[in-house]
Amino acid sequence: GVGRVGGVGRVSRVGILILGLVALLPSGGRAQGSERFSGPSSQSLLQLFDEYWEWKIARRPELATSAGRREHNARWTDRSKAARDKDLYDLREWLQRGMWFSPGTLTPSMRLTAYLLESDTRDQIESEPYLSAVTLVSQADGVHNRVFSIVDQMPAATVADYENIVARLRALPQYIDQTIGQIQENAD
């Protein structure tokens, strides 16, 4: 929930979801040995996980950077009201898609991973906009610190890497303005 103090936050649950997915999926996303999937739902669920992850890093470029993915390094998360409304709509769709799978056709590890996906999307839906407003200004991970952390994580080995850094820095005023707008919305 939103009001938990000292509990696992949304960012931590996302990390747990990601670690769970990585730990449960053999290399290349193929089942091997005794962990063979018991039905077509498992393969569809793997595809859903892949699609959800790609959606998530496209919507949260900072997460992509933290995960070592470079294709979104030239931009920041769109914090505009329209983008946040679209995210909320999409999260509801992801939740519905995740709940569609029949637990009877999934292995125990896949059921757990499906539950983590459902929990992650449900938590984001229920905690928005309050948790986001709090984390934007938190002492440890607020935007005032996050910007520096993300730029430090960006690769700087090629011309394209430096172009991404410059593009992100140039986009910083809009990102900060959107962040201030989101905080003001929640303060009213």
Side-chain angles (χ1 to χ4, degrees):
V2 175
R4 284 183 279 176
V5 176
V8 177
R10 181 172 57 180
V11 173
S12 297
R13 277 190 291 280
V14 169
I16 291 168
L17 174 67
I18 292 166
L19 288 175
L21 291 173
V22 170
L24 294 174
L25 298 176
S27 63
R30 299 265 192 265
Q32 301 173 353
S34 64
E35 191 59 24
R36 291 197 189 278
F37 301 121
S38 60
S41 289
S42 292
Q43 291 299 328
S44 298
L45 188 57
L46 287 174
Q47 182 178 350
L48 179 68
F49 292 154
D50 288 343
E51 291 170 11
Y52 178 71
W53 174 245
E54 293 302 321
W55 172 84
K56 192 163 193 129
I57 64 170
R59 302 299 294 164
R60 303 283 180 264
E62 300 88 346
L63 176 61
T65 299
S66 295
R69 297 280 297 268
R70 294 180 175 201
E71 64 265 32
H72 304 289
N73 277 354
R75 59 189 185 83
W76 297 102
T77 297
D78 184 351
R79 294 197 179 278
S80 68
K81 175 77 169 121
R84 288 182 283 122
D85 288 345
K86 173 81 169 93
D87 284 351
L88 200 54
Y89 176 84
D90 289 348
L91 283 167
R92 288 185 181 112
E93 292 291 317
W94 287 114
L95 179 60
Q96 290 301 313
R97 289 178 67 191
M99 291 171 54
W100 177 80
F101 289 92
S102 169
T105 63
L106 302 175
T107 64
S109 62
M110 292 299 287
R111 279 194 302 271
L112 173 62
T113 309
Y115 172 76
L116 289 171
L117 173 65
E118 181 182 338
S119 177
D120 180 55
T121 54
R122 190 179 304 276
D123 184 59
Q124 288 180 70
I125 291 166
E126 292 172 357
S127 66
E128 193 63 35
Y130 309 106
L131 189 57
S132 292
V134 170
T135 58
L136 291 175
V137 295
S138 76
Q139 180 180 355
D141 196 38
V143 169
H144 57 287
N145 288 329
R146 189 87 172 128
V147 167
F148 297 108
S149 170
I150 292 301
V151 171
D152 282 346
Q153 293 175 38
M154 293 178 71
T158 67
V159 171
D161 292 340
Y162 284 100
E163 289 172 345
N164 286 336
I165 292 170
V166 169
R168 227 180 213 168
L169 292 174
R170 286 187 175 145
L172 195 53
Q174 179 182 12
Y175 179 66
I176 297 299
D177 288 344
Q178 289 175 345
T179 301
I180 291 169
Q182 185 176 357
I183 294 166
Q184 287 174 336
E185 279 177 36
N186 293 305
D188 293 338

